Amino acid sequence: MSIATIVTAEPPFPSADRADEQAVVAVAGPQPGAATRPLVLSSPHSGATYPPAFLRQSRLDPVSLRRSEDCFVDRLFASAPRRGATLVRALFPRAYVDPNREPYELDPAMFRDNLPAFANTRSLRVLGGLGTIARVVADGAEIYREKLAFAEAEARIAECYRPYHAALAEAIGSAERGHGMAILLDCHSMPSLANGGEEHKGRPDIVLGDRFGMSCAAVVIETAERLLRTRGYRVGRNDPYAGGYITHHYGRPRRGRHALQIEINRALYMDETRLEPNRGFAQVQADLDALIEALAGLPETDLKAAP
């Protein structure tokens, strides 16, 4: 995959994806005529462009690999540019390289050569097989036929991971330069079934994560929770998802940079077996459009850097 980024002020679907078939990141900024807002949305796990070489390395069929995707999450939030916000989305799949990890969270058992000393080989995510280069897909199935060379990990990080974060950091920086603050909404989905196929008893429809109050001002998560509850969703906070690397890395509320993670129960909007939208998709999309508007409209003076 080549290092390329689609940047467009047009709607992110479908025209942007045709702009460069080799792009790894798509950035859709505010549409012409829309007032620019300090809201940036990140969709790091909805990419579905699988490199042929990766498919040959995998012991899994393409459908099994897609179980790790946050399928269609980028489309659920596609109205962001119309609302004056910026949408940054990965086009590469999470199973190939995961931008919601540290750059070098790597499992040494996956590689045939030694990893450098700076690699984080002992994080809980690595131990679970879901590091920057995942060992397993979401259901626990092993991805690779053979061990990889560390050079393979370095190439993926250089060609996909770093361009994604460069695009995201630029979008956040642009919001800060224009408004003196920025709100990042990191967008994800969660399976409706637990590992082993058992239902998550009492699992909320939506989980909001603010790193237990560390990644954004209280008004950000409170506004999101209030709107979603008003629209009939069961909303949880920080359990079981408090926010990943992106939320932790970019959330600096004292500096006027606020990061909130959202996880949406997939059964609300898609058929998890067929991997296609279901009849609830349009309603969820409309409700998330209202969420975008609510977050984009928060008073900027209340969210700027603390004196």
Side-chain angles (χ1 to χ4, degrees):
M1 301 181 79
S2 65
I3 303 174
T5 301
I6 298 170
V7 180
T8 177
E10 299 301 320
F13 305 102
S15 58
D17 287 349
R18 293 199 296 265
D20 183 346
E21 292 182 355
Q22 299 303 311
V24 297
V25 186
V27 180
Q31 288 184 19
T36 301
R37 318 292 277 278
L39 178 63
V40 176
L41 290 84
S42 164
S43 185
H45 290 164
S46 53
T49 300
Y50 286 79
F54 172 57
L55 294 176
R56 290 193 295 271
Q57 289 174 316
S58 176
R59 61 192 296 174
L60 301 177
D61 61 85
V63 173
S64 297
L65 286 172
R66 293 198 66 197
R67 303 295 180 196
S68 285
E69 284 178 30
D70 287 345
C71 291
F72 314 118
V73 162
D74 49 357
R75 295 176 182 264
L76 287 174
F77 291 93
S79 68
R82 295 201 308 272
R83 297 292 183 182
T86 297
L87 174 61
V88 180
R89 56 195 180 93
L91 303 181
F92 56 88
R94 175 189 189 182
Y96 185 66
V97 59
D98 190 342
N100 198 27
R101 300 288 183 264
E102 298 172 25
Y104 290 96
E105 284 188 78
L106 301 174
D107 183 348
M110 292 177 59
F111 296 90
R112 57 177 177 264
D113 43 0
N114 293 328
L115 298 180
F118 58 76
N120 181 349
T121 62
R122 300 184 63 83
S123 76
L124 291 177
R125 293 175 290 232
V126 168
L127 296 177
L130 295 171
T132 315
I133 308 297
R135 175 173 53 81
V136 300
V137 290
D139 63 3
E142 297 277 343
I143 295 175
Y144 294 98
R145 300 176 186 277
E146 300 176 347
K147 291 188 176 185
L148 304 175
F150 173 64
E152 173 83 20
E154 285 193 301
R156 296 185 195 183
I157 291 165
E159 294 178 3
C160 297
Y161 181 101
R162 295 200 186 281
Y164 187 83
H165 281 279
L168 185 56
E170 172 55 30
I172 294 169
S174 178
E176 291 176 322
R177 290 190 295 272
H179 300 270
M181 49 77 69
I183 301 171
L184 170 64
L185 184 62
D186 195 39
C187 306
H188 298 266
S189 66
M190 57 186 178
S192 63
L193 299 178
N195 290 337
E198 295 182 1
E199 292 187 6
H200 287 288
K201 291 182 173 59
R203 162 160 280 200
D205 297 319
I206 292 175
V207 176
L208 300 173
D210 66 352
R211 306 288 295 183
F212 299 96
M214 300 297 291
S215 67
C216 66
V219 67
V220 177
I221 192 169
E222 288 169 359
T223 297
E225 182 175 8
R226 184 168 55 251
L227 181 139
L228 292 166
R229 287 188 184 277
T230 298
R231 291 186 168 244
Y233 295 97
R234 294 174 298 156
V235 182
R237 285 197 194 188
N238 292 310
D239 182 19
Y241 306 106
Y245 174 77
I246 288 174
T247 310
H248 172 73
H249 181 71
Y250 291 103
R252 297 290 184 270
R254 290 184 178 273
R255 293 175 48 188
R257 181 183 293 177
H258 306 268
L260 176 67
Q261 178 177 283
I262 183 169
E263 296 268 359
I264 305 160
N265 192 313
R266 291 174 190 160
L268 295 173
Y269 72 89
M270 66 174 284
D271 183 317
E272 295 172 89
T273 300
R274 297 186 177 187
L275 301 180
E276 59 187 28
N278 64 19
R279 289 181 293 180
F281 185 92
Q283 184 60 58
V284 174
Q285 188 179 51
D287 293 333
L288 294 175
D289 177 54
L291 174 64
I292 291 168
E293 179 59 27
L295 293 178
L298 285 171
E300 295 177 14
T301 53
D302 295 345
L303 296 172
K304 290 185 177 180

